[in-house]
Amino acid sequence: MAKVTFIEASGKQHEVTAQEGQSVMQVAMDNLVPGIVAECGGFANCATCHGYVDDAWLKKIPPPDAAEEGMIECAFHVQPNSRLTCQIKVTPALDGLVVRLPVSQTGE
Ligand code: FES
């Protein structure tokens, strides 16, 4: 298990427990975290699971593949640390992971 903290664009934090092997997107969905929409269900085909991975954690996850890079280009408010959370698998090394969520997925 690993703890993952999601921080909404408003600053509201959600610390949740993740199971190894889940995607970070699925962790958010299972815990009803606002700001992760995941319209395509995790197939790297919608970019509505976009999140910002804190720099310290970026080094601990594999880099994006070509499909993820292509979808990130379609996302709103892209930053250098933008990732598709459906493409990040939870591992014990990610215990404490922090993911910030873009304002574009707040539904406002
Ligand atoms: S859920 Fe659609 S790209 Fe991640």
Side-chain angles (χ1 to χ4, degrees):
M1 292 198 301
K3 293 283 185 198
V4 178
T5 299
F6 295 94
I7 304 176
E8 293 183 57
S10 67
K12 186 174 180 188
Q13 297 195 17
H14 305 262
E15 185 183 286
V16 300
T17 301
Q19 303 297 325
E20 189 177 344
Q22 282 187 298
S23 73
V24 172
M25 174 277 278
Q26 194 62 54
V27 173
M29 299 301 281
D30 288 352
N31 290 280
L32 304 178
V33 174
I36 297 272
V37 182
E39 284 176 355
C40 79
F43 292 99
N45 203 25
C46 72
T48 61
C49 64
H50 175 201
Y52 308 117
V53 176
D54 275 17
D55 289 344
W57 296 100
L58 273 180
K59 303 178 190 99
K60 299 185 179 183
I61 58 179
D65 62 15
E68 182 178 348
E69 284 188 335
M71 282 313 303
I72 285 289
E73 288 175 9
C74 300
F76 295 101
H77 305 116
V78 173
Q79 299 179 5
N81 60 343
S82 288
R83 295 295 303 262
L84 297 182
T85 58
C86 70
Q87 301 302 301
I88 302 171
K89 289 273 183 273
V90 174
T91 67
L94 294 188
D95 185 30
L97 176 68
V98 177
V99 179
R100 296 174 192 278
L101 303 176
V103 69
S104 56
Q105 286 159 195
T106 59
E108 294 172 4

